Amino acid sequence: METRSIAIDGPSGAGKSTLAKMAAKRLGMIYVDTGALYRSIGLYALRNGVGSKDERGVERLLPEITLEMCYDGAGTQRVILRGEDVTDEIRAPEVSIYASDVSAMPPVREFLLQMQRDMAVRYDVIMDGRDIGTVVLPSAGVKIFLTADPEIRARRRFDEMVAAGRSAEYEEVLRDINYRDVNDSSRAAAPLKPSEDAITVDTSPFGLDESFEKVLEIIEARLKSGAK
Ligand code: DC
């Protein structure tokens, strides 16, 4: 049976994962967080003392890496790296930088491509990332590019970290967002950019509920028009 795919791309902190998760729940689809895969490879490089920009070193590690995605009782995606659940550890700030750096490497992108496509063949998915609409699922029925001003994204991320009881400094979070924006958009391999047929939603002026309404409106209109 043909499955349905929704691609949500955009920069760090635009609200992709929160909104995609909400939409997946509403529509009975599976939410796939592809950033978690890049983060897991970043974590593995970090643990093995390989520099985040050492492409040869990271490439040498790839044959040792096995990754699985599974879902717990609450429908939350867990990532299993070589048999170990690393879902929480990959959220550390140093892993964010590593993930952004290793994601610029073509062998890393190649390594993860099929795994992402396989998910979309097996399930109805809402997949979030940077290149889902452009590279991973170019024929996705719905493509949304979610964005917001960097300061607003940093503020949201900061509030999220504080709410989760993690120590954080706003200036540092903003620096991290700016670093990843430049890195993710300027790389040669599958850079962050809207697919030509994506609908861009700038969530800067909106709170969560309003952003969700906009996203859902777009998805429902596309699905109603017969998009897969
Ligand atoms: O979405 P995230 O912040 O968890 O992603 C971590 C890094 O992974 C991000 O800086 C860029 C990279 N990434 C990517 O290059 N392509 C994707 N589809 C998803 C993430």
Side-chain angles (χ1 to χ4, degrees):
M1 208 177 70
E2 204 182 342
T3 53
R4 292 182 301 175
S5 304
I6 296 173
I8 301 191
D9 289 303
S12 309
K16 298 185 302 291
S17 65
T18 308
L19 294 168
K21 237 180 264 172
M22 288 165 77
K25 203 167 187 184
R26 175 74 67 92
L27 300 164
M29 298 173 83
I30 289 198
Y31 165 59
V32 182
D33 166 13
T34 63
L37 303 174
Y38 292 93
R39 286 172 178 271
S40 300
I41 294 185
L43 174 66
Y44 194 66
L46 182 63
R47 281 181 175 176
N48 281 277
V50 172
S52 69
K53 303 224 181 210
D54 176 359
E55 183 165 338
R56 298 266 304 269
V58 172
E59 191 174 1
R60 244 179 269 130
L61 292 177
L62 291 177
E64 299 171 16
I65 296 180
T66 56
L67 281 173
E68 289 150 70
M69 281 184 275
C70 57
Y71 292 84
D72 65 18
T76 304
Q77 173 185 299
R78 316 284 315 173
V79 189
I80 315 296
L81 167 66
R82 287 165 54 100
E84 176 193 349
D85 187 332
V86 292
T87 310
D88 299 323
E89 203 173 342
I90 56 175
R91 296 292 143 198
E94 64 271 28
V95 179
S96 301
I97 301 293
Y98 254 76
S100 182
D101 286 345
V102 302
S103 74
M105 301 170 183
V108 170
R109 306 206 70 84
E110 189 58 36
F111 181 77
L112 293 175
L113 186 59
Q114 201 53 46
M115 187 176 175
Q116 297 169 79
R117 288 187 175 157
D118 284 348
M119 289 296 285
V121 169
R122 287 163 50 203
Y123 307 107
D124 289 334
V125 292
I126 299 193
M127 198 173 273
D128 91 22
R130 305 293 187 287
D131 62 335
I132 308 305
T134 50
V135 176
V136 179
L137 304 175
S139 58
V142 188
K143 296 184 187 178
I144 295 174
F145 192 83
L146 212 57
T147 187
D149 298 337
E151 292 75 15
I152 291 179
R153 290 187 277 124
R155 172 60 58 188
R156 289 178 187 160
R157 187 54 48 97
F158 172 77
D159 289 347
E160 228 172 65
M161 290 167 87
V162 171
R166 306 225 320 257
S167 69
E169 271 190 44
Y170 171 76
E171 289 304 327
E172 201 181 322
V173 178
L174 180 60
R175 245 196 329 271
D176 170 82
I177 291 242
N178 284 327
Y179 175 85
R180 293 205 286 149
D181 277 0
V182 172
N183 228 16
D184 297 346
S185 317
S186 63
R187 67 182 180 219
L192 166 67
K193 62 166 188 214
S195 168
E196 273 176 18
D197 50 353
I199 298 172
T200 296
V201 179
D202 183 341
T203 65
S204 303
F206 308 136
L208 181 61
D209 291 346
E210 217 175 333
S211 302
F212 183 54
E213 250 172 56
K214 305 261 172 226
V215 165
L216 205 60
E217 229 170 68
I218 294 168
I219 295 175
E220 286 178 335
R222 292 283 303 145
L223 294 180
K224 215 177 270 171
S225 74
K228 290 281 183 193

